[in-house]
PDB file of all heavy atoms in Angstrom:
ATOM      1  N   MET A 417     -13.744  -5.252 -86.107  1.00 98.00           N
ATOM      2  CA  MET A 417     -12.509  -5.820 -85.542  1.00 98.00           C
ATOM      3  C   MET A 417     -11.454  -4.756 -85.258  1.00 98.00           C
ATOM      4  O   MET A 417     -10.555  -4.964 -84.455  1.00 98.00           O
ATOM      5  CB  MET A 417     -11.943  -6.868 -86.492  1.00 98.00           C
ATOM      6  CG  MET A 417     -12.772  -8.126 -86.468  1.00 98.00           C
ATOM      7  SD  MET A 417     -12.074  -9.347 -87.555  1.00 98.00           S
ATOM      8  CE  MET A 417     -13.405 -10.550 -87.532  1.00 98.00           C
ATOM      9  N   TYR A 418     -11.559  -3.616 -85.922  1.00 98.00           N
ATOM     10  CA  TYR A 418     -10.562  -2.561 -85.682  1.00 98.00           C
ATOM     11  C   TYR A 418     -10.708  -1.925 -84.305  1.00 98.00           C
ATOM     12  O   TYR A 418      -9.848  -1.152 -83.879  1.00 98.00           O
ATOM     13  CB  TYR A 418     -10.636  -1.484 -86.777  1.00 98.00           C
ATOM     14  CG  TYR A 418     -10.254  -2.031 -88.138  1.00 98.00           C
ATOM     15  CD1 TYR A 418     -11.229  -2.401 -89.062  1.00 98.00           C
ATOM     16  CD2 TYR A 418      -8.919  -2.199 -88.476  1.00 98.00           C
ATOM     17  CE1 TYR A 418     -10.886  -2.915 -90.295  1.00 98.00           C
ATOM     18  CE2 TYR A 418      -8.557  -2.714 -89.719  1.00 98.00           C
ATOM     19  CZ  TYR A 418      -9.548  -3.073 -90.622  1.00 98.00           C
ATOM     20  OH  TYR A 418      -9.192  -3.580 -91.847  1.00 98.00           O
ATOM     21  N   TYR A 419     -11.816  -2.223 -83.618  1.00 98.00           N
ATOM     22  CA  TYR A 419     -11.946  -1.736 -82.240  1.00 98.00           C
ATOM     23  C   TYR A 419     -11.009  -2.519 -81.308  1.00 98.00           C
ATOM     24  O   TYR A 419     -10.761  -2.108 -80.193  1.00 98.00           O
ATOM     25  CB  TYR A 419     -13.374  -1.931 -81.735  1.00 98.00           C
ATOM     26  CG  TYR A 419     -14.349  -0.821 -82.096  1.00 98.00           C
ATOM     27  CD1 TYR A 419     -15.427  -1.049 -82.947  1.00 98.00           C
ATOM     28  CD2 TYR A 419     -14.212   0.449 -81.546  1.00 98.00           C
ATOM     29  CE1 TYR A 419     -16.347  -0.039 -83.248  1.00 98.00           C
ATOM     30  CE2 TYR A 419     -15.115   1.460 -81.846  1.00 98.00           C
ATOM     31  CZ  TYR A 419     -16.182   1.212 -82.692  1.00 98.00           C
ATOM     32  OH  TYR A 419     -17.068   2.214 -82.971  1.00 98.00           O
ATOM     33  N   GLY A 420     -10.532  -3.683 -81.773  1.00 97.00           N
ATOM     34  CA  GLY A 420      -9.697  -4.530 -80.911  1.00 97.00           C
ATOM     35  C   GLY A 420     -10.572  -5.414 -80.040  1.00 97.00           C
ATOM     36  O   GLY A 420     -11.760  -5.601 -80.317  1.00 97.00           O
ATOM     37  N   THR A 421      -9.980  -5.956 -78.992  1.00 95.00           N
ATOM     38  CA  THR A 421     -10.734  -6.816 -78.085  1.00 95.00           C
ATOM     39  C   THR A 421     -10.684  -6.199 -76.692  1.00 95.00           C
ATOM     40  O   THR A 421     -10.027  -5.189 -76.487  1.00 95.00           O
ATOM     41  CB  THR A 421     -10.086  -8.206 -78.016  1.00 95.00           C
ATOM     42  OG1 THR A 421      -8.810  -8.063 -77.366  1.00 95.00           O
ATOM     43  CG2 THR A 421      -9.883  -8.822 -79.379  1.00 95.00           C
ATOM     44  N   SER A 422     -11.362  -6.867 -75.737  1.00 92.00           N
ATOM     45  CA  SER A 422     -11.334  -6.302 -74.378  1.00 92.00           C
ATOM     46  C   SER A 422      -9.928  -6.361 -73.798  1.00 92.00           C
ATOM     47  O   SER A 422      -9.618  -5.663 -72.839  1.00 92.00           O
ATOM     48  CB  SER A 422     -12.302  -7.025 -73.457  1.00 92.00           C
ATOM     49  OG  SER A 422     -12.955  -8.057 -74.110  1.00 92.00           O
ATOM     50  N   PHE A 423      -9.077  -7.214 -74.361  1.00 94.00           N
ATOM     51  CA  PHE A 423      -7.721  -7.342 -73.812  1.00 94.00           C
ATOM     52  C   PHE A 423      -6.706  -6.483 -74.554  1.00 94.00           C
ATOM     53  O   PHE A 423      -5.770  -5.976 -73.967  1.00 94.00           O
ATOM     54  CB  PHE A 423      -7.273  -8.805 -73.846  1.00 94.00           C
ATOM     55  CG  PHE A 423      -8.236  -9.706 -73.132  1.00 94.00           C
ATOM     56  CD1 PHE A 423      -9.086 -10.542 -73.846  1.00 94.00           C
ATOM     57  CD2 PHE A 423      -8.324  -9.676 -71.746  1.00 94.00           C
ATOM     58  CE1 PHE A 423      -9.996 -11.344 -73.183  1.00 94.00           C
ATOM     59  CE2 PHE A 423      -9.234 -10.474 -71.081  1.00 94.00           C
ATOM     60  CZ  PHE A 423     -10.078 -11.315 -71.797  1.00 94.00           C
ATOM     61  N   VAL A 424      -6.880  -6.374 -75.858  1.00 97.00           N
ATOM     62  CA  VAL A 424      -5.903  -5.601 -76.640  1.00 97.00           C
ATOM     63  C   VAL A 424      -6.632  -4.508 -77.417  1.00 97.00           C
ATOM     64  O   VAL A 424      -7.504  -4.788 -78.239  1.00 97.00           O
ATOM     65  CB  VAL A 424      -5.155  -6.489 -77.661  1.00 97.00           C
ATOM     66  CG1 VAL A 424      -3.885  -5.794 -78.125  1.00 97.00           C
ATOM     67  CG2 VAL A 424      -4.848  -7.843 -77.092  1.00 97.00           C
ATOM     68  N   GLN A 425      -6.227  -3.281 -77.159  1.00 97.00           N
ATOM     69  CA  GLN A 425      -6.863  -2.170 -77.845  1.00 97.00           C
ATOM     70  C   GLN A 425      -6.278  -1.969 -79.231  1.00 97.00           C
ATOM     71  O   GLN A 425      -5.116  -2.286 -79.479  1.00 97.00           O
ATOM     72  CB  GLN A 425      -6.686  -0.899 -77.030  1.00 97.00           C
ATOM     73  CG  GLN A 425      -7.942  -0.036 -77.074  1.00 97.00           C
ATOM     74  CD  GLN A 425      -7.646   1.429 -77.014  1.00 97.00           C
ATOM     75  OE1 GLN A 425      -6.824   1.846 -76.222  1.00 97.00           O
ATOM     76  NE2 GLN A 425      -8.321   2.191 -77.851  1.00 97.00           N
ATOM     77  N   GLU A 426      -7.118  -1.454 -80.122  1.00 98.00           N
ATOM     78  CA  GLU A 426      -6.626  -1.170 -81.468  1.00 98.00           C
ATOM     79  C   GLU A 426      -6.993   0.272 -81.789  1.00 98.00           C
ATOM     80  O   GLU A 426      -6.642   1.173 -81.039  1.00 98.00           O
ATOM     81  CB  GLU A 426      -7.254  -2.176 -82.434  1.00 98.00           C
ATOM     82  CG  GLU A 426      -6.326  -2.526 -83.569  1.00 98.00           C
ATOM     83  CD  GLU A 426      -6.834  -3.730 -84.353  1.00 98.00           C
ATOM     84  OE1 GLU A 426      -7.072  -4.783 -83.758  1.00 98.00           O
ATOM     85  OE2 GLU A 426      -7.001  -3.586 -85.578  1.00 98.00           O
ATOM     86  N   ALA A 427      -7.752   0.500 -82.869  1.00 98.00           N
ATOM     87  CA  ALA A 427      -8.170   1.875 -83.159  1.00 98.00           C
ATOM     88  C   ALA A 427      -9.192   2.306 -82.106  1.00 98.00           C
ATOM     89  O   ALA A 427      -9.876   1.472 -81.524  1.00 98.00           O
ATOM     90  CB  ALA A 427      -8.790   1.932 -84.537  1.00 98.00           C
ATOM     91  N   ASN A 428      -9.289   3.622 -81.883  1.00 98.00           N
ATOM     92  CA  ASN A 428     -10.344   4.088 -80.993  1.00 98.00           C
ATOM     93  C   ASN A 428     -11.692   3.868 -81.660  1.00 98.00           C
ATOM     94  O   ASN A 428     -12.687   3.602 -80.997  1.00 98.00           O
ATOM     95  CB  ASN A 428     -10.135   5.549 -80.633  1.00 98.00           C
ATOM     96  CG  ASN A 428      -8.876   5.712 -79.820  1.00 98.00           C
ATOM     97  OD1 ASN A 428      -7.823   6.073 -80.344  1.00 98.00           O
ATOM     98  ND2 ASN A 428      -8.948   5.373 -78.547  1.00 98.00           N
TER      99      ASN A 428
END
Side-chain angles (χ1 to χ4, degrees):
M417 287 181 190
Y418 295 99
Y419 275 114
T421 68
S422 1
F423 305 106
V424 198
Q425 219 213 316
E426 213 168 305
N428 294 99

